[in-house]
Amino acid sequence: MADPNHRFIALQERKHLTQQLIGRPYSCITYIVRASCYGKLGYPDLAIGDAYRALLITDEIENESFEYHEQALQSYVEDVADGDPLEGLFVEPTQEEINYENQEALNGCKAENSSDKDSDSAIGGNVEKLRIKCFACLSDYLCQCGCLRSAYDFVERGLQIDPNNPILLDQRRNITQLHNKKLLEKDPDWTHRTYNSREELPNEGYARRELYPWNDHEPDRFSEESLQFLNEQLNKGAPKCEVRAVSLPILQSSTPSYPSSKSPATIKQLGVFAKEDIAPHETVLQERSLLTANNRLHDPLCDACSAPLPPISTFQEPLPTCPECDDIIFCSETCYSLATTLYHPAVCGKPDLEAIAKDPSPLAATNALYLLLLGRTYALAETQNIHPLDLTETKYLWGDFTPPSLPGQEQEHARQLPFTFEDNILAPLHLLMKMDIDIFASLATTDTWIISTLFAKFRGVASARMDPRTGMPEVCAVHPMWCLANHSCAPNVKWEWSGDIKFEARGGEDVVRWGDDDGKEGGIKKGEEVLNHYCDIDLMVKERREWAAGALGGNCVCERCMWEEAEEKKQVEGETWEERKEQD
């Protein structure tokens, strides 16, 4: 939405509709209207979330045995009391669609005259039309995100109800045409003769990754108050360090040719610095977090910190367990006490949660961990009665959002969050419902934008431990102080994680050496920045960048990466990194 005035009006409309939903959380129609508003604002992923909740409410309206049937039915009756509130909301219909709607209305009149329908039947017919609108919305916005297979599936579900619906038929045709066009652009010789119109459609897309303008939970991370709080927290595990503001280059998917006469755009971020000299191999930071997750079912890991459980011995006291849950074991009384105080009551005695996102396929392992981190976040929030974005574990995390300080350059520097209907909408709502959270009445804490913000934060900062057998991530965690340290492919610390995460200053053979600098002794001098690493630093520059891009938001431009890239290209370009620096 290019016009600032139109955007302001749409934001005000979104605020008003959200307030309506807080007061009447089972209003299917208000969700559909807000989905349209999100569409106008350029947030198709959030529109998908609203359209799907609307679809769920249509099920609640029609099924008396469903948990929220009475509330949903009452809201629907109130919504339609003054006519069709959706009329005129969407794109103007074609003449074919008008003729189709007129024929449907005529058929309805004939049916009314030929038999006495009761009010339940009338409601059922109207809700069916409402459900088709939900399918159309979902298909439209999923296409905008690039999730064509899910879009196609929702069209097919709608056509099962109304096989001749011209809107759905047109959407199905557009989906296949859009994909055919992309395939032809990649391969002009491509033919659709062996093309499966559903199975070959892409199902992974992207959503905007940004700090939403209505998000009033994001703190000013650079204020005196925030820095004081962060330094108090950091001092508990890293007494020789402090948090400061630092300028970092804005990373992009394509690597700029630094150094150059044009200075790279920068963004203000936080970093960790040494307050005094730190010797080689000295512990820099030690931190424990309860925001952890593992995707292995029945593996011997602590439920709280995800550390491996100590071996069973007949000479020791039994490990603490939850008496209400099966297979929930803690590595120590400390973890047991923290869990029962801070998160476990929200999930205690709910066996349906046990297998969610466990033992996933290798391709699904990473997303399973992000989902489980989301579940732990909501367990912490529900137990402590705190908004999930206000938790100490999440509040100060930076989700690599699109930089807000670049007006007119939003597209050039836009950040994107991987998005699928299953991972970003369906699975989170399923998880919350299994936690006995009312996803409608709790909109203030479970709205789609909140879940998306948490996913963005996790993707930017979560650390993972790999299964040595499969090489796939099996355990992950968010350590709020650890993740304040910025990335470098020549880090001055190394870290290990087993319950607590620990930074140790590099020294001796651990020092990362590159270029002509072989004289590094290790350790960290007073005033130097503590530099972490988000990838396997033994890889080549191309592979390192690919690995770290998800967390960094673009290609790494640390000095080591730029030097190695220049060295790889020097035979083609005829100049070295040092020569390029001298020219500039």
Side-chain angles (χ1 to χ4, degrees), residues 1 4 18 26 45 55 75 176 186 189 199 224 234 261 283 348 421:
M1 184 176 291
T18 302
Y26 305 97
D45 55 318
L55 182 63
S75 292
T176 54
K186 293 181 179 179
D189 297 327
E199 293 301 325
E224 184 177 342
L234 182 65
S261 56
T283 297
C348 185
F421 174 75

Side-chain angles (χ1 to χ4, degrees), residues 203-204 293 295 356-358 360-375 417-420 422-424 427-428 431 455 458-459 472-473 476:
N203 205 34
E204 296 181 357
N295 58 23
I356 291 179
K358 298 291 187 177
S361 68
L363 292 177
T366 299
N367 286 333
L369 287 172
Y370 290 135
L371 177 64
L372 292 168
L373 281 178
L374 184 77
L417 188 70
F419 182 91
T420 69
E422 289 77 9
D423 292 328
N424 296 66
L431 175 68
F455 276 147
F458 297 158
R459 284 185 175 273
M472 301 304 296
C476 71

Side-chain angles (χ1 to χ4, degrees), residues 357-556:
K358 298 291 187 177
D359 293 339
S361 68
L363 292 177
T366 299
N367 286 333
L369 287 172
Y370 290 135
L371 177 64
L372 292 168
L373 281 178
L374 184 77
R376 178 60 62 86
T377 299
Y378 274 96
L380 288 162
E382 289 288 305
T383 301
Q384 301 175 54
N385 195 27
I386 299 175
H387 192 284
L389 293 177
D390 289 334
L391 290 165
T392 301
E393 292 86 349
T394 61
K395 185 172 184 177
Y396 295 95
L397 303 178
W398 180 248
D400 187 44
F401 305 113
T402 297
S405 57
L406 296 170
Q409 299 182 25
E410 290 80 2
Q411 294 302 315
E412 180 182 354
H413 295 286
R415 297 285 188 260
Q416 292 183 318
L417 188 70
F419 182 91
T420 69
F421 174 75
E422 289 77 9
D423 292 328
N424 296 66
I425 304 295
L426 183 61
L429 293 183
H430 175 70
L431 175 68
L432 294 173
M433 288 188 283
K434 291 300 181 182
M435 292 178 65
D436 293 336
I437 295 175
D438 183 341
I439 61 170
F440 307 111
S442 65
L443 185 69
T445 57
T446 65
D447 210 343
T448 305
W449 72 266
I450 299 170
I451 294 172
S452 295
T453 299
L454 289 168
F455 276 147
K457 292 190 175 203
F458 297 158
R459 284 185 175 273
V461 303
S463 56
R465 190 166 68 229
M466 303 298 177
D467 183 336
R469 298 165 297 177
T470 65
M472 301 304 296
E474 65 171 357
V475 181
C476 71
V478 171
H479 294 84
M481 297 298 106
W482 173 87
C483 67
L484 289 174
N486 291 309
H487 167 81
S488 171
C489 292
N492 51 21
V493 296
K494 62 179 182 178
W495 59 273
E496 62 180 31
W497 172 36
S498 179
D500 291 357
I501 199 166
K502 182 189 294 186
F503 273 158
E504 180 184 300
R506 290 178 178 266
E509 295 181 357
D510 293 330
V511 176
V512 180
R513 306 186 188 281
W514 55 275
D516 297 328
D517 189 1
D518 293 328
K520 296 178 182 177
E521 298 178 356
I524 306 171
K525 300 297 184 183
K526 179 181 178 180
E528 289 183 349
E529 186 174 4
V530 176
L531 296 173
N532 190 7
H533 60 101
Y534 300 161
C535 64
D536 183 347
I537 57 175
D538 292 329
L539 297 174
M540 302 296 289
V541 58
K542 181 177 182 295
E543 287 73 23
R544 291 201 309 270
R545 282 173 166 167
E546 290 174 351
W547 187 325
L552 298 177
N555 283 341
C556 178

Side-chain angles (χ1 to χ4, degrees), residues 212-358:
Y212 298 107
W214 55 82
N215 181 358
D216 56 3
H217 296 275
E218 195 72 19
D220 178 357
R221 300 162 73 240
F222 311 105
S223 69
E224 184 177 342
E225 180 183 3
S226 293
L227 289 174
Q228 179 180 346
F229 174 80
L230 290 171
N231 277 308
E232 288 173 356
Q233 296 296 308
L234 182 65
N235 188 61
K236 298 175 183 178
K240 290 189 175 182
C241 297
E242 65 179 347
V243 180
R244 298 184 201 166
V246 61
S247 293
L248 299 176
I250 295 176
L251 305 181
Q252 304 174 48
S253 57
S254 58
T255 309
S257 297
Y258 301 149
S260 67
S261 56
K262 181 181 178 181
S263 299
T266 60
I267 185 172
K268 191 177 182 182
Q269 287 292 1
L270 298 177
V272 178
F273 291 79
K275 293 191 296 184
E276 53 187 279
D277 289 350
I278 300 173
H281 307 297
E282 183 179 352
T283 297
V284 179
L285 165 72
Q286 188 163 350
E287 179 183 14
R288 174 165 298 197
S289 174
L290 295 180
L291 187 45
T292 66
N294 79 84
N295 58 23
R296 309 307 302 169
L297 187 61
H298 303 312
D299 264 19
L301 300 172
C302 175
D303 187 73
C305 69
S306 290
L309 295 175
I312 298 175
S313 170
T314 57
F315 301 102
Q316 70 180 31
E317 292 292 324
L319 294 174
T321 62
C322 173
E324 303 297 327
C325 301
D326 294 332
D327 300 317
I328 299 298
I329 307 174
F330 303 93
C331 67
S332 64
E333 288 292 341
T334 299
C335 276
Y336 174 76
S337 177
L338 289 171
T340 54
T341 303
L342 298 177
Y343 78 84
H344 189 66
V347 295
C348 185
K350 297 171 182 174
D352 289 346
L353 287 169
E354 183 178 348
I356 291 179
K358 298 291 187 177

